Amino acid sequence: DAEITQSPRHKITETGRQVTLACHQTWNHNNMFWYRQDLGHGLRLIHYSYGVQDTNKGEVSDGYSVSRSNTEDLPLTLESAASSQTSVYFCASSESSGRYNEQFFGPGTRLTVL
Amino acid sequence: SQKIEQNSEALNIQEGKTATLTCNYTNYSPAYLQWYRQDPGRGPVFLLLIRENEKEKRKERLKVTFDTTLKQSLFHITASQPADSATYLCALDMHSGYALNFGKGTSLLVTP
């Protein structure tokens, strides 16, 4: 069965370190998204991609970067982790064959920055 | 700026009753609206999509309405069950393709 996976599921890091969160999908979807979810803020879009070599900034992109070298993966990098980036991160993907496509979410990565 | 509002207070209802959740938006003209369910510790799961030219959509015990004049969507769960207890999120398109803007979600608790 097709799926979307995230790793690691839990990560503790220190302020200033570079961190990369992995997202891998086997749906063969062109569209991939990264969100963060915090109490009181809900899901907020960080970056998204509509295909290989395409990346776009979302609402809360400062301090994050992504790259898309193949269809299956969209890693999210925190260049220099800050305590404000402690959050739960969700990756999602969707088809690009129509306009109204649902998003499939991964299980999330809980990141703690000390 | 674009804003999506869902009732921040948890909704507690008795099993068998109809749960109604609200999603209001401002400064927005979405082409469609989606509803997702999220259980604790898990990612959201898609439930229903309704387009701007549709008034109502049904799927089993779920019903969604979309009023573009009131800028509001209502999400109904009929004959609710304890297994329906979860957080429900509404999401609107961002007019930039396929990206979505999510509300903060409403927590539903169905008690036996």
Side-chain angles (χ1 to χ4, degrees), chain B residues 43-112:
Chain B
V45 175
F46 172 80
L47 296 174
L48 278 170
L49 178 151
I50 187 165
R51 296 175 175 79
E52 60 180 336
N53 60 351
E54 297 176 319
K55 297 291 185 188
E56 182 179 298
K57 203 81 167 282
R58 290 175 187 262
K59 180 182 176 183
E60 298 171 351
R61 294 185 296 110
L62 308 181
K63 184 178 86 171
V64 173
T65 63
F66 195 7
D67 189 326
T68 55
T69 300
L70 289 179
K71 294 187 180 295
Q72 180 182 80
S73 175
L74 299 179
F75 178 81
H76 307 273
I77 305 175
T78 58
S80 59
Q81 304 165 0
D84 295 326
S85 299
T87 296
Y88 292 86
L89 308 169
C90 73
L92 281 67
D93 70 289
M94 298 179 76
H95 289 294
S96 59
Y98 303 97
L100 294 174
N101 194 2
F102 281 84
K104 296 177 184 177
T106 297
S107 175
L108 172 67
L109 179 63
V110 181
T111 53

Side-chain angles (χ1 to χ4, degrees), chain B residues 20-36:
Chain B
T20 299
L21 285 70
T22 304
C23 177
N24 295 303
Y25 58 92
T26 56
N27 300 324
Y28 229 134
S29 295
Y32 61 92
L33 187 148
Q34 299 184 12
W35 283 90
Y36 288 77

Side-chain angles (χ1 to χ4, degrees), chain A:
Chain A
D1 285 346
E3 61 177 356
I4 180 165
T5 57
Q6 294 183 236
S7 62
R9 295 295 314 278
H10 301 271
K11 173 82 175 176
I12 300 175
T13 191
E14 294 177 344
T15 300
R17 292 198 180 249
Q18 183 181 79
V19 176
T20 296
L21 309 183
C23 175
H24 180 80
Q25 52 98 3
T26 58
W27 293 96
N28 200 34
H29 287 162
N30 283 327
N31 304 332
M32 295 185 73
F33 310 87
W34 272 105
Y35 297 88
R36 61 178 287 175
Q37 189 171 39
D38 306 283
L39 272 174
H41 287 281
L43 277 167
R44 291 183 290 174
L45 184 65
I46 305 171
H47 281 286
Y48 58 100
S49 168
Y50 290 156
V52 176
Q53 302 301 329
D54 175 74
T55 61
N56 305 279
K57 293 182 179 180
E59 176 191 359
V60 290
S61 61
D62 286 349
Y64 304 94
S65 64
V66 294
S67 62
R68 187 91 179 271
S69 58
N70 59 51
T71 300
E72 296 79 19
D73 299 288
L74 186 70
L76 177 71
T77 297
L78 286 67
E79 304 293 344
S80 177
S83 57
S84 60
Q85 295 177 308
T86 293
S87 186
V88 180
Y89 292 86
F90 288 100
C91 179
S93 70
S94 72
E95 290 183 3
S96 57
S97 58
R99 186 181 172 191
Y100 309 110
N101 299 314
E102 65 187 274
Q103 293 189 9
F104 295 82
F105 282 80
T109 294
R110 182 174 295 276
L111 176 68
T112 302
V113 182
L114 301 176

